[in-house]
Structure formats: C-alpha cells, structure tokens
Amino acid sequence: MNIVCLDLEGVLVPEIWIAFAEESGIPELRRTTRDEPDYDRLMAYRLAILRERGLGLPQIQDVISRIEPLPGARAFLDALRERTQVVIISDTFEEFARPLMAKLGWPTLLCNSLDVAPDGEILGHLMRCENSKLTTVRALQSCGFETIAAGDSFNDLAMIQASKAGFLFRAPASIRAANPELPALETYDELLRAIVGAL
C-alpha cells in the first residue's frame, strides 16, 4: 500500500514565517529551512527576534488567518487523495497550521507544537520526534507502507531520498543543483502525474 508524504510550507501553502516577516516589517524572519538546515538553530533565532520585538503567538496567528493555500493546492490535494492515502509531514506547529488545514479540506497533518505562556509569548518549540520527517517515513514503511515524498527544502531531503519515489517541488536552485538525481517539478499537474506514475 502506498502513502504520499508531502511537505506543507512552500508546497501547499506559502511560507508562514515569510508572510509574517513581510507583514511585521522584520526581514530577518524571512529565514526558513531553505536557508538554515538546522531547525533548532533556526527556531532559536526566530524566537529571540520575537522576544526582542515583544511579539508572540497572537500576532502570528492573526497573519496566518489571512494566508490562503497556494493557487491550485487544494485541487491538487483533492485529486491526489482520490487516488491514494496522503499525509502532510511538516516542521510547523499545530498552533500555526489549524486554519490552513481547514482551507485545505482537513488533510492529515503530522507536525510539532509550541510552548506558549499565558500572555502569548512563545517560550519554545516541542518537536514530535527527532528528524521528524525521516523518522515518520521510516515508521510508515515499518508498518507496510511504500512511501512517495515531495518537498522543497533541506529538511525534506531525507524523507524524499528514503522513499521509493521522491520529488523536489518548487525548490530553490541551490537545492536542485546539490541534488541533481531528484526530479525537480514546478507545477501541480507535473507533480500529480509523477506521483500517480510512481504508485
């Protein structure tokens, strides 16, 4: 049995931190896993900036409430879910992702959570497991699934490479150049055809 494992940000929805950086006028928050492969280091960097500016979860959730899925993402996801099982594996947080999941038709999402103070200050992040994307793919494989994976960032490479078929989707040139063996696709039609072809 097959299961498709998709990244969330950059694949189905815009990068949440980039949207927040633009709305808050803090360009330093534009850094994502496309720029920094060490997620703990990236989150420590982000949380330090939020603390300096007196910003917390309510301000981020306000921005997220206005984010829409990428054009064509919902139709792609619906078409894919008609053909096979799909799970979204993301390093985002349930406190961020819930409104986006509603707009995508409530697909299954495996992600992390935040430690938030009563006043909304984000104190830290709680990872579901170490190397969450690869660990999750390996766990699915251990219970009889063959995985097909797609993503756009450094933190997606392990799950893509561990799957029976894997694709880069709208990945930056640096990641495409460093991984020339991985098919690099740009449209949802291309990605749907590639995944269906690998089932």
Side-chain angles (χ1 to χ4, degrees):
M1 188 171 186
N2 293 288
I3 190 163
V4 175
C5 302
L6 297 175
D7 179 35
L8 178 64
E9 294 178 67
V11 173
L12 299 171
V13 303
E15 293 281 352
I16 291 169
W17 285 99
I18 290 177
F20 185 68
E22 289 172 356
E23 184 143 335
S24 64
I26 307 172
E28 296 87 351
L29 288 175
R30 291 182 60 86
R31 284 182 69 78
T32 71
T33 51
R34 290 177 169 198
D35 310 300
E36 172 55 71
D38 184 325
Y39 197 73
D40 285 334
R41 183 180 301 160
L42 178 62
M43 280 304 298
Y45 170 82
R46 289 166 169 168
L47 296 184
I49 292 170
L50 293 178
R51 262 183 235 108
E52 286 170 13
R53 304 292 182 106
L55 299 170
L57 184 60
Q59 291 84 9
I60 297 173
Q61 287 177 325
D62 179 59
V63 171
I64 292 170
S65 71
R66 295 189 295 278
I67 293 175
E68 293 297 324
L70 293 169
R74 173 69 187 264
F76 159 76
L77 197 54
D78 288 347
L80 187 56
R81 291 168 73 193
E82 288 175 7
R83 292 165 170 84
T84 190
Q85 298 297 309
V86 179
V87 62
I88 298 171
I89 306 174
S90 175
D91 281 337
T92 193
F93 307 99
E94 56 187 325
E95 295 85 355
F96 289 3
R98 188 169 178 78
L100 297 168
M101 292 304 99
K103 294 175 181 181
L104 288 169
W106 296 108
T108 300
L109 171 69
L110 303 176
C111 66
N112 304 304
S113 59
L114 293 169
D115 181 14
V116 183
D119 66 358
E121 179 186 356
I122 301 174
L123 304 174
H125 63 287
L126 308 168
M127 300 300 281
R128 185 171 44 83
C129 57
E130 193 172 343
N131 300 317
S132 63
K133 295 187 180 191
L134 177 60
T135 300
T136 302
V137 162
R138 291 288 190 222
L140 291 167
Q141 292 167 345
S142 76
C143 54
F145 287 100
E146 290 192 273
T147 60
I148 299 167
D152 70 329
S153 295
F154 286 111
N155 65 338
D156 299 315
L157 292 173
M159 77 167 178
I160 291 170
Q161 293 163 340
S163 295
K164 76 167 184 177
F167 309 99
L168 295 173
F169 185 68
R170 297 180 180 167
S174 58
I175 292 177
R176 294 195 311 268
N179 299 276
E181 75 286 0
L182 296 177
L185 310 174
E186 293 295 322
T187 71
Y188 289 119
D189 286 345
E190 289 174 333
L191 184 56
L192 183 61
R193 280 196 301 272
I195 292 171
V196 170
L199 291 175

